[in-house]
Amino acid sequence: MYIAIIIVSLLAALAAGITHFGYVQITQMRVKNDLNLFSILEGLGLYSRDRYEALDKQEIVLTSIDGLKLSGAAIKPFPDSKHWMIIVHGYTGSRAVSTQFIDIFTDEGYNVLLIDQRRHGQSEGRFTTYGYYEKYDIQTWVNWLVEQHGVDTKIGLHGQSLGGGTVLEYLSIAAPQVKAVIADCPYSDLTDLMKHQITKINKIPSVPFFQWVNNRIRKKAGFSFEQVSPIRSVRNSHIPVMFVHGTKDTYVPTRMSLEMYDAKPGPKKLVLIEGAIHANAYHIGPNQYRDEIHSFLNEYIGIREPKAAAEQSEMDYFQDNSLGTV
């Protein structure tokens, strides 16, 4: 009898430990610092900290609908342009990891807004909710751009991983100024994703741990897996969406983008990067990635001020304001 009690107690402690571990890993995993993120990008030859720090940018702090400080940076090489891209990073990242995509958009005449998602970077927050609350943060940023640049502002969204799921969740409340969305390795449904990661990646039986973790998240973080399903938003949106996914992604299975592409009504595009794993499609196929995005944006948003024109404008400015010295 005594041995049975010990065994039951140990099993209960193990179950509680696994449940707590899952809850923390899903909603509160430690965020990487910017130095580490830039080191990764520099090692891959994608971007550098020095390049980012040299950019002329405006630091912005807004307040979310639930009172959190949201941090971002606006990069405006085209001050008179109405074209903006908001770049949204993935889980445990920050706007630092989003810098790799800046040139893709500025080369085509877009201004860029980099944001730190809640609980990441310099933004406040206790929990990651996979788009459940984050979609309203995106709306806060969209509202700021419209207030600053007018109701005729044309905005695109680019999100990677968690950012991809977030911008797709945002489709359900999207402002009319949002003209196109690019989702890189997004999840289609959080329940599906968590069951996949719990059983396939972490090798933990789905029953009963899935429900225990879900209950803990509902009580502590204020949302549940069932409440996050980007494919639901995709099914009901006619905003153009481009899905990008690596063919070797096992963390967020490639099939999830395929499912959403099939479900999406209206304008859509699917780009598969051969051999890419999770969140490294741009590194593996940079030319394909860039070309497909440029083609997509040209079709659905259009470009007001291409790079060549901007460079000429900048040259004229310096000539007009030079002191006549060498």
Side-chain angles (χ1 to χ4, degrees), residues 52-104:
Y52 179 64
E53 290 184 345
L55 289 175
D56 184 13
K57 50 191 174 294
Q58 176 187 0
E59 293 291 330
I60 306 157
V61 176
L62 303 180
T63 302
S64 72
I65 60 170
D66 53 344
L68 299 176
K69 181 187 78 173
L70 301 176
S71 179
I75 300 164
K76 299 185 284 186
F78 313 102
D80 297 327
S81 176
K82 297 282 189 175
H83 289 78
W84 281 86
M85 290 298 306
I86 302 177
I87 307 180
V88 190
H89 64 78
Y91 193 41
T92 74
S94 73
R95 68 176 106 152
V97 79
S98 298
T99 59
Q100 63 183 301
F101 303 114
I102 291 173
D103 293 348
I104 294 177

Side-chain angles (χ1 to χ4, degrees), residues 259-321:
E259 292 164 0
M260 288 190 285
Y261 177 79
D262 288 341
K264 172 77 172 69
K268 57 186 176 181
K269 185 172 190 175
L270 176 65
V271 178
L272 299 179
I273 307 295
E274 190 64 38
I277 59 173
H278 187 63
N280 85 328
Y282 183 43
H283 171 60
I284 294 298
N287 292 333
Q288 181 185 2
Y289 197 103
R290 280 174 170 268
D291 291 347
E292 295 286 7
I293 284 179
H294 290 171
S295 173
F296 177 72
L297 293 179
N298 277 322
E299 183 171 2
Y300 295 112
I301 299 183
I303 302 299
R304 175 170 296 182
E305 188 174 5
K307 183 179 179 182
E311 289 176 342
Q312 184 60 51
S313 176
E314 185 176 354
M315 184 181 300
D316 291 344
Y317 172 84
F318 284 114
Q319 288 176 345
D320 292 342
N321 291 276

Side-chain angles (χ1 to χ4, degrees), residues 176-236:
Q177 287 80 13
V178 174
K179 305 299 184 182
V181 170
I182 301 162
D184 181 342
C185 58
Y187 42 90
S188 56
D189 181 84
L190 194 57
T191 297
D192 186 1
L193 178 66
M194 289 300 120
K195 286 183 176 179
H196 166 79
Q197 293 188 349
I198 288 171
T199 60
K200 304 297 184 183
I201 297 177
N202 294 297
K203 309 299 182 184
I204 300 172
S206 177
V207 178
F209 293 106
F210 174 84
Q211 197 56 50
W212 290 350
V213 172
N214 198 17
N215 289 341
R216 175 71 67 88
I217 288 173
R218 183 184 296 109
K219 292 176 183 177
K220 297 288 187 178
F223 78 106
S224 64
F225 295 149
E226 297 83 3
Q227 291 175 299
V228 179
S229 185
I231 195 169
R232 284 201 298 256
S233 297
V234 165
R235 285 195 185 105
N236 294 304

Side-chain angles (χ1 to χ4, degrees), residues 67-71 117-126:
L68 299 176
K69 181 187 78 173
L70 301 176
S71 179
Q117 294 233 59
R118 59 172 55 205
R119 203 190 72 83
H120 293 76
Q122 299 175 45
S123 291
E124 295 178 339
R126 290 186 60 199

Side-chain angles (χ1 to χ4, degrees), residues 9 31 35 41 45 47 55 60 79 86 92 125 134 139 145 152 166 172 177 199 202 235 242 255 292 314 322:
S9 297
V31 174
L35 287 177
L41 293 182
Y47 211 78
L55 289 175
I60 306 157
I86 302 177
T92 74
E134 288 85 352
Q139 186 60 56
L145 284 177
D152 57 340
T166 296
S172 64
Q177 287 80 13
T199 60
N202 294 297
R235 285 195 185 105
M242 174 175 160
R255 64 173 173 81
E292 295 286 7
E314 185 176 354
S322 69

